[in-house]
Amino acid sequence: MPILEIFSQGEEIVTGQTVDTNAAWLSEQAVQLGFTVARHTAVGDKLGDLVGLLKEISERADCCLCTGGLGPTSDDLTADAVAEAFGLRLEFDETAYRQIQAYFSNRQRPMPETNRKQALLPQGSIRLDNDWGTAPGFALQAGRCWFAFMPGVPSEMRAMFLEHVMPQLKDRFVLAPSRLVTIKTFGIGESDIQQRLEGLKVPASVQLGFRAGIDEVQTKLLFPADYPEERISLLTADTAARLGDFVFGIDGLAGEIGNLASVVDRLMTEAGKTLAVIETASQGLLAAKCTGAAWLKSALFEPSASALGRHFGLALNENDLADAGQRLAHALREHEEAGFILVQLYEGGPDRLHDKDRSIILYNTLLTEDACRQNRHNLGGPISRKQNQAALLGLDLLRRHLQNRQI
Amino acid sequence: MPILEIFSQGEEIVTGQTVDTNAAWLSEQAVQLGFTVARHTAVGDKLGDLVGLLKEISERADCCLCTGGLGPTSDDLTADAVAEAFGLRLEFDETAYRQIQAYFSNRQRPMPETNRKQALLPQGSIRLDNDWGTAPGFALQAGRCWFAFMPGVPSEMRAMFLEHVMPQLKDRFVLAPSRLVTIKTFGIGESDIQQRLEGLKVPASVQLGFRAGIDEVQTKLLFPADYPEERISLLTADTAARLGDFVFGIDGLAGEIGNLASVVDRLMTEAGKTLAVIETASQGLLAAKCTGAAWLKSALFEPSASALGRHFGLALNENDLADAGQRLAHALREHEEAGFILVQLYEGGPDRLHDKDRSIILYNTLLTEDACRQNRHNLGGPISRKQNQAALLGLDLLRRHLQNRQI
């Protein structure tokens, strides 16, 4: 398998101001394409370090994916370093320049003269268009290695990689892609998952891994190239079955399913339902996670059940939040033409909400055309974690209802 | 300043299964201590790669902080690699062995025989006790470089670094901690900032840098140790003055100010004001950014001015959103006992909101006890960017009002 390296440039990375998530993302892509990823390196904005490193890599790797250092400022040195390392001139790229101009004119802003520098590309390189920002990337062969230089802004980098770099990698290298299946769960921790998977028979050629994030825990199965499709399905199904209804989706079987909010978006759209929400602990974050969803008719945040009671003219019993949730859901239904009503309340007040060492109890009520489902959860940790978990638990209740699963 | 490198070992890092947060954390610690962090490198579990890299680093760095590869399994090769790279024997460390045994007996679990391997340390190294897991670390001088090897599990690594490694760094190196001042702006791009700073006299010993994020652009001044306080203040003030009222705060003069939402939180709390919000394009995100703020009385999201008009029983002119914003603000004031009312509307509808190549026009109205301030902005890019910018522009209007600045 061809050897690939990842190279990140930026003072903010070597000084630890920014965690280099680009390296992990690109590595995962490269492994799936069939490369052996041998090394990640990050250096700051020093021309000598950059030049030295580029030369080293050109001698030991077949491919190098590089990010950062393409901006307009004086500490963006990638093109200069490439020119110096490989004895190339920088040439003015007319098309790149027009694209940078267009970026600014589309935003009705004058183009600063410093951005002109971004149109200077090393001679003989291929321009990689950037439809999402000002910095064009470029690619070139130097020594043993084919280099692709992309911006450091993750969204621009990802789009450029998928659209312009990946197709060239497939053309230029003979690759036997491995296959990554990711089982995504919410509401269950990594060690619980590991316990549930004890006894699962994973062949030696298949790599089992885990990644715990704030929003989901991923269980990963990396299958070697040409692993039989049928056995991929069987092992995936066995693994997912052990994780039960905590699984909200699986990536890598029939495409990518996205995060929990994307799954809910698809389920709501397919079901043709609409939603109105009342939020407390999540403070707008539940609505915010449903970015641009046409099915979200309204969301109201107020800090407490008592404030909501005043808003709707209800005398609510704050010691019975299950009942308060139901009454608020029915009251909101009077005002909103939405199929589903979701009401979130919590016990513990602002003191416990703010205290990272104490927990709150979250009550979710989902009122549909013909049913009312409720659940409650203990939420601990810093307030930002409680806020995020509250938002996700609301979405997960919707997901479970729409998938007709136990709540 | 002594040169420091960060070295991470692990197949899960080079394949992208795990994001290397250790590297960023250790770098930040090292920079604050007064090291120059020159490079991060991550390699997988291949003995040859590890040996080669350790030799390289021993020749070019004064210090190297290493994580990973200390576990009990056959792919944990760090001690072997160190022994081979520097021609050292591995020696059985009785104390380390007893600590590993104690770890298991404390958990009432039998010690697997494979863990015995973790007590083998390179001859002449200092043991770094691990009170939080099984793998002891170790440290040694090799060539020019003092190496500290720590476990890859972040919690174990951090505890070991703070307790056992940091004190030794302070003993072994003559360190002069540098001073970082960060000027934080919102609403102005990196290249515009560079233009405004043309002509600013930055002494050669001071490093000027920029970091553009989604939520803010940072202009950084890194002053060497013992730089006179008065000259730090003067250069910071001169730089900030050139950026005008785009500056929402400065870190590193009198503590850390946090992000725009934290600044608004402090200003609102100090002013003793309360707020009620109507959101459209930001869809709950403005409220969500004010996590746990006691001054936020309510937030309502509805997708459009017409939906809001129906909600409040107003016949709004959708071709005059400045007027609609004012009328909604006054209507909301009838219902809410909040000192400030912020109403966000946008022109362009869902089509333009979703289209990354088209922009929307955002109208913010801030109604205070004695004034009504409005502004409008063009927002382009993907919907998630428009959503985020809309939230931040609302907060920034509040910030500018509270700081008595021009809006």
Side-chain angles (χ1 to χ4, degrees):
Chain A
M1 291 198 287
I3 303 290
L4 181 142
E5 292 200 21
I6 307 285
F7 162 44
S8 313
Q9 194 219 313
E11 213 51 44
E12 70 284 4
I13 291 170
V14 286
T15 59
Q17 302 291 302
T18 299
V19 176
D20 187 7
T21 53
N22 287 340
W25 190 87
L26 283 170
S27 295
E28 205 166 44
Q29 298 287 328
V31 168
Q32 283 184 59
L33 284 169
F35 286 94
T36 295
V37 181
R39 202 184 270 218
H40 294 183
T41 313
V43 296
D45 305 325
K46 295 203 181 63
L47 192 65
D49 288 357
L50 288 166
V51 169
L53 186 62
L54 289 169
K55 284 183 182 167
E56 283 173 36
I57 294 175
S58 73
E59 287 163 16
R60 69 180 179 222
D62 302 303
C63 183
C64 182
L65 302 176
C66 313
T67 59
L70 299 181
T73 67
S74 52
D75 53 10
D76 289 303
L77 295 169
T78 299
D80 294 317
V82 170
E84 189 172 323
F86 306 125
L88 303 170
R89 275 195 323 278
L90 289 178
E91 290 174 346
F92 184 74
D93 187 300
E94 192 63 50
T95 312
Y97 188 64
R98 278 200 306 273
Q99 289 170 351
I100 298 166
Q101 283 182 313
Y103 175 88
F104 283 96
S105 64
N106 286 344
R107 282 159 181 74
Q108 294 167 317
R109 284 165 48 197
M111 188 189 113
E113 193 44 37
T114 47
N115 286 75
R116 189 187 152 87
K117 161 174 185 281
Q118 296 180 295
L120 290 171
L121 306 183
Q123 97 197 79
S125 64
I126 303 167
R127 187 187 59 253
L128 301 170
D129 292 335
N130 185 344
D131 305 331
W132 311 269
T134 63
F138 58 89
L140 82 171
Q141 182 78 33
R144 169 181 162 183
C145 184
W146 189 76
F147 287 87
F149 295 91
M150 295 170 278
V153 178
S155 57
E156 296 180 19
M157 182 280 290
R158 292 180 187 202
M160 186 181 284
F161 177 83
L162 295 173
E163 200 142 327
H164 301 304
V165 177
M166 194 153 80
Q168 296 207 41
L169 293 178
K170 288 178 178 168
D171 274 0
R172 285 168 180 273
F173 294 91
V174 179
L175 297 167
S178 52
R179 173 82 168 279
L180 179 67
V181 171
T182 304
I183 300 169
K184 298 183 165 190
T185 47
F186 173 72
I188 181 171
E190 190 176 338
S191 34
D192 284 339
I193 289 179
Q194 296 206 14
Q195 257 184 345
R196 283 173 175 243
L197 298 188
E198 261 172 35
L200 179 73
K201 295 243 178 321
V202 183
S205 64
V206 179
Q207 218 180 296
L208 174 67
F210 304 94
R211 188 193 282 180
I214 303 163
D215 290 2
E216 60 191 46
V217 178
Q218 303 181 344
T219 301
K220 296 176 173 235
L221 293 164
L222 186 66
F223 297 92
D226 303 326
Y227 200 85
E229 192 62 37
E230 197 185 292
R231 286 169 59 200
I232 292 177
S233 308
L234 276 173
L235 185 59
T236 304
D238 188 4
T239 311
R242 286 163 191 255
L243 306 181
D245 56 10
F246 292 106
V247 177
F248 68 81
I250 299 175
D251 270 359
L253 284 185
E256 308 292 293
I257 57 113
N259 59 18
L260 180 59
S262 330
V263 169
V264 170
D265 185 32
R266 227 162 14 246
L267 291 168
M268 287 292 287
T269 306
E270 283 165 16
K273 299 294 181 189
T274 54
L275 176 73
V277 181
I278 287 175
E279 301 187 50
T280 52
S282 62
Q283 198 173 318
L285 193 58
L286 198 165
K289 283 181 187 282
C290 307
T291 311
W295 46 264
L296 183 64
K297 291 301 169 193
S298 74
L300 173 67
F301 157 74
E302 304 226 4
S304 64
S306 58
L308 286 161
R310 281 194 298 278
H311 184 113
F312 288 96
L314 297 173
L316 298 175
N317 179 356
E318 288 189 69
N319 296 317
D320 186 354
L321 292 183
D323 177 68
Q326 283 206 29
R327 293 182 57 201
L328 282 167
H330 286 284
L332 182 56
R333 169 155 286 169
E334 301 295 301
H335 297 79
E336 283 292 343
E337 289 173 33
F340 291 176
I341 307 285
L342 181 63
V343 177
Q344 172 197 88
L345 296 172
Y346 76 97
E347 191 181 301
D351 286 355
R352 272 162 58 187
L353 186 66
H354 278 86
D355 187 342
K356 72 175 173 47
D357 296 321
R358 298 172 73 196
S359 59
I360 58 167
I361 302 169
L362 190 81
Y363 290 78
N364 275 316
T365 303
L366 176 63
L367 183 67
T368 67
E369 293 87 345
D370 49 13
C372 181
R373 287 165 174 249
Q374 294 193 300
N375 63 19
R376 41 177 274 173
H377 290 90
N378 251 302
L379 299 186
I383 186 170
S384 55
R385 180 182 182 276
K386 288 175 183 138
Q387 181 184 19
N388 192 52
Q389 290 287 306
L392 292 169
L393 283 164
L395 291 174
D396 201 49
L397 177 57
L398 272 174
R399 191 266 303 174
R400 284 165 179 259
H401 175 75
L402 290 162
Q403 290 182 339
N404 284 313
R405 291 186 172 181
Q406 185 196 331
I407 55 172
Chain B
M1 289 199 286
I3 304 290
L4 182 143
E5 293 200 18
I6 307 283
F7 162 43
S8 313
Q9 193 219 312
E11 212 51 45
E12 70 285 4
I13 291 170
V14 286
T15 59
Q17 301 292 301
T18 298
V19 176
D20 187 6
T21 54
N22 287 339
W25 189 85
L26 284 169
S27 297
E28 210 164 36
Q29 298 287 329
V31 168
Q32 283 178 42
L33 284 169
F35 286 95
T36 296
V37 182
R39 201 185 270 219
H40 293 183
T41 312
V43 295
D45 305 324
K46 294 201 183 64
L47 192 66
D49 288 357
L50 288 166
V51 170
L53 186 62
L54 288 169
K55 284 184 183 168
E56 283 173 34
I57 294 174
S58 73
E59 286 162 17
R60 69 179 179 223
D62 302 303
C63 182
C64 182
L65 302 175
C66 314
T67 59
L70 299 181
T73 66
S74 54
D75 53 8
D76 288 303
L77 295 170
T78 299
D80 294 316
V82 170
E84 187 171 324
F86 306 125
L88 304 170
R89 277 194 322 278
L90 290 178
E91 290 173 347
F92 184 72
D93 187 300
E94 192 62 49
T95 312
Y97 188 64
R98 278 199 308 273
Q99 290 172 351
I100 298 166
Q101 283 181 314
Y103 175 87
F104 283 97
S105 63
N106 286 342
R107 283 160 183 75
Q108 296 168 315
R109 283 163 49 196
M111 189 188 111
E113 193 44 37
T114 47
N115 285 75
R116 190 187 149 88
K117 162 173 184 283
Q118 296 180 296
L120 291 170
L121 306 183
Q123 100 197 74
S125 63
I126 303 167
R127 186 187 60 253
L128 301 170
D129 291 336
N130 185 344
D131 305 330
W132 311 268
T134 64
F138 58 89
L140 82 172
Q141 181 78 34
R144 169 181 165 184
C145 185
W146 189 76
F147 287 87
F149 294 90
M150 294 170 278
V153 179
S155 57
E156 296 180 19
M157 184 280 290
R158 291 179 189 203
M160 187 181 284
F161 178 82
L162 294 172
E163 200 141 327
H164 301 305
V165 178
M166 195 155 79
Q168 298 208 41
L169 294 178
K170 288 179 177 169
D171 274 0
R172 286 169 179 274
F173 294 92
V174 178
L175 296 169
S178 52
R179 171 82 169 280
L180 179 67
V181 171
T182 304
I183 300 168
K184 298 182 164 189
T185 47
F186 173 73
I188 182 171
E190 190 177 338
S191 31
D192 285 337
I193 288 180
Q194 274 240 308
Q195 261 187 341
R196 283 172 175 245
L197 297 188
E198 263 171 34
L200 178 73
K201 296 246 177 321
V202 182
S205 64
V206 179
Q207 215 181 298
L208 175 66
F210 304 94
R211 177 154 122 211
I214 302 162
D215 289 2
E216 60 191 46
V217 179
Q218 302 180 344
T219 301
K220 295 177 174 236
L221 293 164
L222 187 65
F223 296 93
D226 304 323
Y227 201 85
E229 192 61 37
E230 196 185 292
R231 285 169 61 199
I232 293 178
S233 306
L234 276 174
L235 185 58
T236 304
D238 188 5
T239 311
R242 286 163 191 255
L243 305 181
D245 56 10
F246 292 106
V247 176
F248 68 80
I250 299 175
D251 270 358
L253 283 185
E256 310 290 292
I257 55 112
N259 60 17
L260 179 59
S262 331
V263 169
V264 169
D265 185 30
R266 229 165 9 249
L267 292 168
M268 286 293 285
T269 306
E270 281 165 17
K273 299 294 180 188
T274 54
L275 176 72
V277 181
I278 288 175
E279 302 187 49
T280 52
S282 61
Q283 198 175 318
L285 193 57
L286 198 165
K289 283 181 188 284
C290 305
T291 311
W295 45 263
L296 183 63
K297 291 301 168 193
S298 73
L300 173 66
F301 157 74
E302 303 227 5
S304 64
S306 59
L308 285 160
R310 280 193 299 279
H311 184 112
F312 287 95
L314 297 174
L316 299 175
N317 179 357
E318 287 189 70
N319 296 319
D320 186 353
L321 292 183
D323 176 67
Q326 284 207 29
R327 294 183 57 203
L328 281 166
H330 285 284
L332 182 57
R333 169 155 285 170
E334 301 294 303
H335 297 78
E336 284 291 345
E337 288 173 35
F340 292 176
I341 307 283
L342 181 61
V343 177
Q344 172 198 88
L345 297 172
Y346 76 96
E347 191 181 302
D351 286 355
R352 273 163 55 189
L353 186 67
H354 279 86
D355 188 343
K356 73 175 172 52
D357 297 323
R358 298 171 73 195
S359 58
I360 60 168
I361 302 169
L362 190 81
Y363 289 79
N364 275 316
T365 303
L366 176 62
L367 184 67
T368 66
E369 293 87 345
D370 48 15
C372 182
R373 287 165 175 251
Q374 294 193 300
N375 63 19
R376 40 176 277 173
H377 290 90
N378 250 304
L379 299 186
I383 185 170
S384 56
R385 181 181 181 277
K386 288 176 183 137
Q387 180 184 18
N388 192 53
Q389 290 287 307
L392 292 169
L393 284 164
L395 291 173
D396 201 49
L397 177 56
L398 271 174
R399 191 266 303 174
R400 284 165 178 260
H401 175 75
L402 289 162
Q403 290 181 339
N404 285 313
R405 292 186 172 181
Q406 183 195 333
I407 57 172

